[in-house]
Each structure stands twice: as C-alpha cells, then as structure tokens.
C-alpha cells in the first residue's frame, strides 16, 4: 500500500498571528511541502481543482509543472481534474507535457468534482452533469490510445483524424477515475478497466466495501485483469506527535471549512463531537500519531479487500505551514514504512 498527500491549496490564516497568508506565499509554501514529501519518500502528491475564493488550485497543471521541476521521485497527479468542465484534448496535452517534464511520474485522476462552480464558469449546464463526464472520458481514453482520433459527440466539436501532441512518456498514461458514492460510477470504472480513486469525506470507510466489490466484479466480468483494477482512497488526515495534538491542531480549521460548506448546502453546523466521532477508529478522518494512523490505514484496507494507495488530504485553512511540514515528515518517515507491506 502506497501513501501520499493531496492538497486543495486552501487559503490559510496563521493560527498564531491571525495573519492571512497571501497567495504568492501560499504557493511558495506548497512547493516546499511537495519537495519535502519527495525527500521523505512519500509515493505521491496530488493537487485538486476548485474555482472558489478559498482555494488557489484552479490551474493544477501549472502547479504540477513547478513541482515536477523541483522533485525527482514522487509521483504527481490531479485530485481531481474536473473533466466534465474541461476540453479532453487540452487535458491530455497538459498531462502528456507534465509526464515529459517529470520523466514519467504523472497520474491523471479525473472526476466530476464535489463543487459545481466550474459548470456556469465555463458555460455548461448542470443538467448535463452525467453526460458531460461520460462523453469526455470516452474521448480522453481514445486520445490516450491513439495520436489520431476520429470522434463525435454532443458537447465538443468532432475530431476528424487530427493528431494530438505531445505524446506522454508513459504508455499508456495512467488515468484514474475519481468517484464519490454513486454505484454507477464504480461500475463504469470497472467496465472500462480503469483504476479507481474513492473520495471518502464522511461516514465510515468500511461502508464503501460493497461499492468497491461492485467495481471489481464489473471489471472481472468485462475481462480486465485483477492487477488493472487498482483501488485508491482520498481521505482527510493529519499526523502529529500524539493523537491529541493532531486533533487539537486540525479542529479549528476543520470547523471553519465545514461550517462554510454546511451553510451553503443547508446542513446543520458541525460540532466537536461530530469531529471526534469522524476521527475515531471507524471514522473517515485519518488523524493521530504515526502508530494510530498506520494501524487504521492497514485495517481499513483489509475491510475494503485491499487498497493500493491512500492519499491524505491535509488542506486546512488554519494549519500553520510548520505544522503541515511536520505532518508530511511523519507521514513519510513513520507511517509509510509501517504500511508498506500491507
């Protein structure tokens, strides 16, 4: 089981000084975080895509290019690319170029996103939420398989055999499907034989076992080899020197972040009791000291029939840069070695 980090590059208020870290400084901090993840041996670092004022990750390919130039071993990828709101030709070109810059260290994770701002921003209708993704994924896979494609669909002008360049170093470029809780999404990824990245942001991870089993059964029935049906998890997490320090460090930003989302979506305001339950042994958040986090990673992997990689999403609007660096260091030097054989 490989361990990595995902980031949504949130705006951060320093919890000690109450100073809002400006976007230029935040980007500098992010690149330091990715460089450290590379140095301490973490497997991957992913950058999300959002089009909201509290995040700076609207152009993940640009960030990943800067990261590729500063690292040598760590795999880099999207977490996720909102394919529904993008041009698959441009996405393929960007990530093929990234693959060349990184010398073959890129993973493209595509999905529909958990926020909807990208749709009106790019002139798209939420009524086409499902068909946009299905059609654009079909085109993206055809572009990966052949440099010249003849294709037509509803949401993009047709291709009539034009060449799409450059071609990536990896052949084929790894394309993962990011999913939430829709059975149709799990089954689609299995039928296509694509690796699966499951975003778990609430509830209990073990509840996803039937959906992951559906993915594997769909893949097997479609004739795909078991080794092609990889499963990854994208989860909230943080590692500190003790369970209590981890919880106390993360809670203020967690409360701020989920209060905003709950207000937008008409949910009840989050509480410390809810946070503690979600961070507990069976909850969706992977927080604590290295031993606690490693034990939970191994246990959850077993409950889900085996997991190939887990990425901890450490975005938090009130997490000091030094604390995030410490969390990355502990994840790489203490947690990853504990779960390497799982």
């Amino acid at each position: 089981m490989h361990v990595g980090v995902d980031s949504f590059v949130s705006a951060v208020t320093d919890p000690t000084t109450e100073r809002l870290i400006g976007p230029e400084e935040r980007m500098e901090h992010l690149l330091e975080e990715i460089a450290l993840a590379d140095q301490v041996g973490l497997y991957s670092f992913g950058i999300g895509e959002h089009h909201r004022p509290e995040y700076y990750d609207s152009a993940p390919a640009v960030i990943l290019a800067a990261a590729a130039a500063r690292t040598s071993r760590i795999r880099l990828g999207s977490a996720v690319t909102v394919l529904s709101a993008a041009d698959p030709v441009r996405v393929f070109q960007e990530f093929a170029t990234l693959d060349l810059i990184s010398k073959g260290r890129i993973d493209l994770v595509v999905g529909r996103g958990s926020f909807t701002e990208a749709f009106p921003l790019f002139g798209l209708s939420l009524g086409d939420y499902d068909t946009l993704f299905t059609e654009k994924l079909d085109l993206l896979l055809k572009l990966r398989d052949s440099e010249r494609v003849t294709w037509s669909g509803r949401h993009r002008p047709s291709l009539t055999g034009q060449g799409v360049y450059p071609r990536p170093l990896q052949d084929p470029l790894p394309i993962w499907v990011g999913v939430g809780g829709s059975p149709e999404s799990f089954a689609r990824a299995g039928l296509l034989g694509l690796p699966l990245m499951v975003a778990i942001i609430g509830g209990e991870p073990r509840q996803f076992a039937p959906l992951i089993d559906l993915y594997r059964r769909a893949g097997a029935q479609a004739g795909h080899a078991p080794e092609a049906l990889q499963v990854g998890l994208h989860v909230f997490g943080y590692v500190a020197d003790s369970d209590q320090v981890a919880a106390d460090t993360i809670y203020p930003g967690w409360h701020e972040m989920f209060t905003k989302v709950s207000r937008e979506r008409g949910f009840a305001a989050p509480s410390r009791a809810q946070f503690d339950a979600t961070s507990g042994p069976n909850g969706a958040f992977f927080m604590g000291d290295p031993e606690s986090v490693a034990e939970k990673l191994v246990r959850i992997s077993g409950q889900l029939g085996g997991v190939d990689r887990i990425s901890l999403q450490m975005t938090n609007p009130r997490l000091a840069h030094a604390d995030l660096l410490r969390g990355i260091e502990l994840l790489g030097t203490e947690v990853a070695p504990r779960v390497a054989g799982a």
Side-chain angles (χ1 to χ4, degrees), residues 282-321:
N282 297 312
F285 295 172
F286 291 69
M287 297 183 191
D289 66 21
E291 185 176 358
S292 298
V293 173
E295 186 276 331
K296 187 170 181 177
L297 290 175
V298 172
R299 180 163 44 82
I300 296 301
S301 175
Q303 291 173 351
L304 299 179
V307 170
D308 297 281
R309 65 167 74 176
I310 295 183
S311 295
L312 270 64
Q313 204 284 96
M314 295 191 185
T315 291
N316 187 290
R318 299 189 70 83
L319 180 61
H321 178 51

Side-chain angles (χ1 to χ4, degrees), residues 112 114 177-183 185-186 196-201 208 211:
R112 292 177 287 191
S114 59
V177 177
V179 299
S182 163
S185 297
F186 284 79
L196 186 76
M197 185 62 68
V198 186
I200 302 178
I201 60 175
F208 284 81
L211 292 170

Side-chain angles (χ1 to χ4, degrees), residues 22-202:
E24 180 182 5
E25 185 178 1
R26 181 68 185 92
M27 285 293 180
E28 180 183 352
H29 287 173
L30 173 67
L31 293 174
E32 290 177 11
E33 293 154 15
I34 299 173
L36 178 61
D38 187 43
Q39 293 166 16
V40 299
L42 284 169
Y43 183 74
S44 62
F45 203 110
I47 301 295
E49 179 188 341
H50 299 85
H51 303 273
R52 297 167 60 88
E54 65 266 35
Y55 299 116
Y56 301 138
D57 60 353
S58 64
V62 178
I63 298 171
L64 291 169
R70 297 190 182 203
T71 55
S72 60
R73 297 177 299 173
I74 195 167
R75 294 195 66 81
L76 302 166
S78 52
V80 301
T81 292
V82 184
L83 184 63
S84 304
D87 182 345
V89 173
R90 202 65 180 133
V91 169
F92 182 83
Q93 290 175 324
E94 289 173 345
F95 279 81
T97 303
L98 280 170
D99 202 48
L100 297 175
I101 294 171
S102 69
K103 297 181 173 61
R105 293 185 284 126
I106 293 297
D107 291 301
L108 173 54
V109 185
V110 298
R112 292 177 287 191
S114 59
F115 292 100
T116 60
E117 288 83 3
F119 289 84
L121 181 63
F122 296 108
L124 302 168
S125 170
L126 278 171
D128 296 324
Y129 186 80
D130 291 316
T131 60
L132 278 165
F133 182 75
T134 301
E135 181 177 294
K136 291 185 176 186
L137 179 59
D138 175 66
L139 175 54
L140 181 67
L141 294 175
K142 286 181 168 58
L143 294 166
R144 181 179 70 166
D145 293 341
S146 176
E147 67 182 65
R148 294 187 178 275
V149 173
T150 299
W151 176 93
S152 63
R154 286 179 51 202
H155 301 291
R156 190 202 184 280
S158 300
L159 293 176
T160 56
Q162 299 96 322
V164 177
Y165 308 104
R167 308 306 296 178
L169 180 61
Q170 297 178 94
D171 186 17
L173 180 72
I175 296 177
W176 295 61
V177 177
V179 299
S182 163
E184 293 79 10
S185 297
F186 284 79
R188 179 196 297 122
L191 290 171
L192 293 172
L194 296 174
L196 186 76
M197 185 62 68
V198 186
I200 302 178
I201 60 175

Side-chain angles (χ1 to χ4, degrees), residues 237-251 286-294 312 314 319 322-335 338:
Y238 180 67
V239 189
D241 292 297
S242 73
D243 292 355
Q244 192 62 53
V245 170
D248 291 344
T249 301
I250 289 296
Y251 176 72
F286 291 69
M287 297 183 191
D289 66 21
E291 185 176 358
S292 298
V293 173
L312 270 64
M314 295 191 185
L319 180 61
D323 289 334
L324 181 49
L325 291 177
R326 178 60 175 161
I328 291 171
E329 179 185 7
L330 289 172
L331 187 65
T333 61
E334 300 288 340
V335 177
R338 283 178 162 93

